[in-house]
Amino acid sequence: MSENERPTPRIYVADLAAYNMGHLHGRWIEIDSDATVEGICASIRAMLRQSPALPECIPEEYAIHDYEGFAGYEVDEYESLETVVAVGAFIREHGELGAKLLNRSYDIDDAKGVLDDQYAGAGESLAGWVAEFLEDSGQLAEIPEKWRSYIDFDQYARDLELGGDLFTIEAHGQVHVFWTR
């Protein structure tokens, strides 16, 4: 599947009253670009009105029992619908990279900020990115040509990462680099 063909995130919302009575009843809800909290709530209410738990009890509770298309982001069983909509939009835009940022314990606003303010680019490897960064920034030109072949870009990249200057996320077949300072 190509980057442009990401699956639409969706959640499976289960009727807890039916579940507790031994019935599997729920509905898949797509978190597409038109998804709103109000629209999802309407879908959940419609599903609950068709509950096999009726008329014994009036089902009011639900939980997210499954999800797809979140590119590795783990949707909690009781995740707020506001968060599901925001995360769905973020992952539709950024795919696996967005999911991995969110899984680093960032909330949606922090993840957006990291992408906007700290993203430094991507490469096939961290060493390759470092070599390109040093070339593009003019720092490599400051080293005499005869000494450049002695530069160990792998070691320099490792030192930057271990020193806390940057962190990386592997996604979409590349190493994505983020400044930490």
Side-chain angles (χ1 to χ4, degrees):
M1 178 175 296
S2 77
E3 183 67 17
N4 295 329
E5 297 174 8
R6 291 186 189 118
T8 299
R10 64 187 195 144
I11 56 175
Y12 181 81
V13 180
D15 170 1
L16 291 181
Y19 183 80
N20 290 334
M21 295 174 74
H23 301 283
L24 295 179
H25 177 70
R27 176 177 291 173
W28 281 102
I29 301 172
E30 286 197 355
I31 312 300
D32 58 18
S33 59
D34 297 327
T36 63
V37 172
E38 296 78 19
I40 295 169
C41 283
S43 291
I44 292 170
R45 283 192 301 276
M47 178 268 298
L48 292 174
R49 282 192 300 269
Q50 299 169 349
S51 175
L54 290 169
E56 293 178 42
C57 68
I58 299 172
E60 297 175 346
E61 295 182 353
Y62 66 88
I64 299 169
H65 279 190
D66 202 358
Y67 54 91
E68 294 177 345
F70 282 85
Y73 176 78
E74 296 181 15
V75 178
D76 185 68
E77 185 175 27
Y78 297 104
E79 193 93 55
S80 78
L81 297 178
E82 291 83 4
T83 299
V84 169
V85 169
V87 166
F90 189 72
I91 290 173
R92 279 193 317 278
E93 182 176 354
H94 301 289
E96 180 186 13
L97 178 61
K100 287 186 174 183
L101 272 174
L102 290 169
N103 283 337
R104 282 183 65 99
S105 300
Y106 292 112
D107 68 19
I108 192 75
D109 292 329
D110 289 342
K112 287 177 182 177
V114 167
L115 272 175
D116 290 343
D117 302 332
Q118 295 173 247
Y119 187 68
E124 290 185 23
S125 68
L126 181 55
W129 178 86
V130 164
E132 187 175 326
F133 171 76
L134 292 174
E135 179 71 38
D136 292 347
S137 66
Q139 294 177 59
L140 202 56
E142 295 174 12
I143 298 170
E145 183 74 38
K146 65 182 180 179
W147 300 112
R148 290 184 197 167
S149 63
Y150 293 100
I151 298 173
D152 185 343
F153 293 110
D154 286 312
Q155 185 63 43
Y156 185 61
R158 183 176 174 274
D159 288 349
L160 286 173
E161 197 165 27
L162 291 176
D165 296 304
L166 53 83
F167 71 90
T168 62
I169 293 178
E170 291 186 33
H172 310 300
Q174 293 189 303
V175 175
H176 296 265
V177 180
F178 297 85
W179 295 113
T180 57
R181 301 168 198 210

